Amino acid sequence: MKASIISAMILLLGMASASAFERQDLQKLTETGSCGGCDLRGAKLQYKDLGDANLKGANMRDSILKQINLSQAKLMEADMRRSDLEKANLTAADLEYAILQDADMEKAVMTGVNLRRTDLRSADFDGAEMENVNFQDADIRKANFKRANLTNSNFSNAKVTEVNFKRANLVGAIMTKAELNDANFTRADLKNARLQETDLRHANFYRAHLTNTDLSGARLSNASFWGADLSGANLEGVSGLNQLQLDTACGDEKTVLPGNLSISECAP
C-alpha cells in the first residue's frame, strides 16, 4: 500500500515538472521580449506586451495569454496547444507550422496573420477578427469560427471538415480546393467568395448569402441550401447537385446552373 502511494506521488511530481515552464526562459522573455525555442509551458503572460517578439519554436502549451499583445510576433513552429488567447492581439503575426490545437482564440484580433500549414484542429475562434488571414494548407478540422470576421481570408487546399462557420463573415474568402465537407455555413455571408473545386458534401448553407459566389466544379452531394440566396452564383460543372436541393433556395437570372436544373427568383 505504502509503495503504491509513493509511486503515485512520483508520477504526479513527474507530470507537474513536465508541464512547468523554465524560469530562466521566462526571465529571458521578460527582459528581452524574445525567446526562440524556449520552454514556456503553462506560463501566465496575460496582458503582456510582446509585439514583434521572436518566439519561433517555443513551447507554450497550456499558457495563459489573455489579451496579450503578440502583433507581428514570430511564432513559427511554436507549440500553443490548449493555450488561452482570448482577446489577444496577433495582428500580422507569423504562425506558419505552429500548433494551436484546442486553443481558445475567442475574440482575438488576427488581421493579416499567417496560419499557413498550421494545426488548428478544434480551436475556438468565436467572434475573432481575421481579415486577410492565410490558412493555406492548414488543418482546421472541427474548429469553431462562429461570428468570426474572415473577410478575404485564404483557405485554399485547407482541411476544413466539420468546421462551424455559423454567422461568419466570409465575404471575398478564397476556399479553392478546400475540404469543407460537413461544414456549417448557417446564415454565413459568402458574397463574392471563391469555392471552386471545393468538397462541400453534406455542408449546411441554411439561409446563407451566396451572392456572386463561385462554386464551379464543387462537390455538392447532400449539401443543404434551404433559404440560401444564390443570386449571381456560378454552379457550372458542380457534381452531386439535384433539383430538390435547389427547390428550397432562390437565385436570379444571373445564377449559372448545370444541366436542366432551375431555381426560383429571390423575393425583392
Side-chain angles (χ1 to χ4, degrees):
M1 180 70 176
K2 187 179 291 185
S4 298
I5 294 173
I6 293 171
S7 298
M9 290 177 65
I10 292 171
L11 178 61
L12 288 171
L13 287 169
M15 290 172 63
S17 61
S19 62
F21 57 84
E22 293 291 338
R23 294 192 178 278
Q24 62 268 30
D25 286 351
L26 183 59
Q27 183 177 353
K28 178 182 177 181
L29 177 63
T30 302
E31 292 176 353
T32 68
S34 293
C35 201
C38 285
D39 186 350
L40 299 166
R41 288 171 294 169
K44 295 181 179 180
L45 298 167
Q46 62 266 41
Y47 313 116
K48 297 286 186 183
D49 185 359
L50 294 173
D52 203 35
N54 178 12
L55 288 159
K56 180 179 179 180
N59 188 343
M60 303 172 74
R61 275 181 286 176
D62 303 297
S63 296
I64 307 299
L65 307 169
K66 283 187 176 182
Q67 298 189 48
I68 191 173
N69 177 24
L70 286 166
S71 58
Q72 299 184 314
K74 301 171 182 66
L75 290 154
M76 300 82 77
E77 302 173 26
D79 187 347
M80 303 173 78
R81 276 175 280 187
R82 298 179 299 277
S83 290
D84 186 350
L85 286 140
E86 184 180 348
K87 296 183 180 179
N89 180 5
L90 290 125
T91 303
D94 192 343
L95 290 111
E96 186 162 357
Y97 283 110
I99 304 173
L100 285 159
Q101 187 177 353
D102 294 305
D104 181 1
M105 314 289 290
E106 185 177 354
K107 296 181 180 178
V109 179
M110 302 181 71
T111 304
V113 169
N114 180 21
L115 292 169
R116 189 176 184 186
R117 301 188 181 95
T118 303
D119 185 349
L120 302 166
R121 287 174 293 168
S122 301
D124 185 7
F125 296 95
D126 191 340
E129 286 292 329
M130 306 186 78
E131 293 183 65
N132 299 300
V133 171
N134 184 4
F135 290 99
Q136 286 181 284
D137 302 297
D139 190 346
I140 320 175
R141 287 174 289 177
K142 297 185 178 181
N144 177 35
F145 290 96
K146 186 177 179 181
R147 293 187 294 264
N149 180 9
L150 294 152
T151 306
N152 297 322
S153 289
N154 190 346
F155 291 85
S156 295
N157 298 305
K159 296 177 180 178
V160 205
T161 304
E162 296 182 62
V163 169
N164 183 14
F165 288 110
K166 186 175 182 179
R167 296 184 181 274
N169 182 352
L170 288 153
V171 173
I174 301 170
M175 295 181 154
T176 308
K177 297 182 179 180
E179 298 175 19
L180 283 154
N181 42 307
D182 293 293
N184 181 9
F185 291 101
T186 296
R187 297 183 183 273
D189 192 344
L190 288 142
K191 294 187 187 77
N192 300 307
R194 292 168 52 190
L195 286 83
Q196 305 100 308
E197 301 179 48
T198 302
D199 186 352
L200 290 162
R201 291 173 296 166
H202 300 277
N204 182 10
F205 290 99
Y206 175 82
R207 293 192 179 277
H209 297 282
L210 294 152
T211 307
N212 299 322
T213 302
D214 191 347
L215 292 148
S216 56
R219 302 168 69 182
L220 298 172
S221 298
N222 298 301
S224 174
F225 291 96
W226 198 98
D229 186 344
L230 288 157
S231 298
N234 181 8
L235 291 93
E236 183 179 8
V238 299
S239 62
L241 183 66
N242 59 50
Q243 189 59 51
L244 287 175
Q245 290 167 284
L246 293 174
D247 285 343
T248 59
C250 68
D252 62 8
E253 70 280 359
K254 295 181 180 179
T255 304
V256 179
L257 298 172
N260 297 317
L261 300 179
S262 61
I263 193 166
S264 299
E265 189 170 344
C266 293

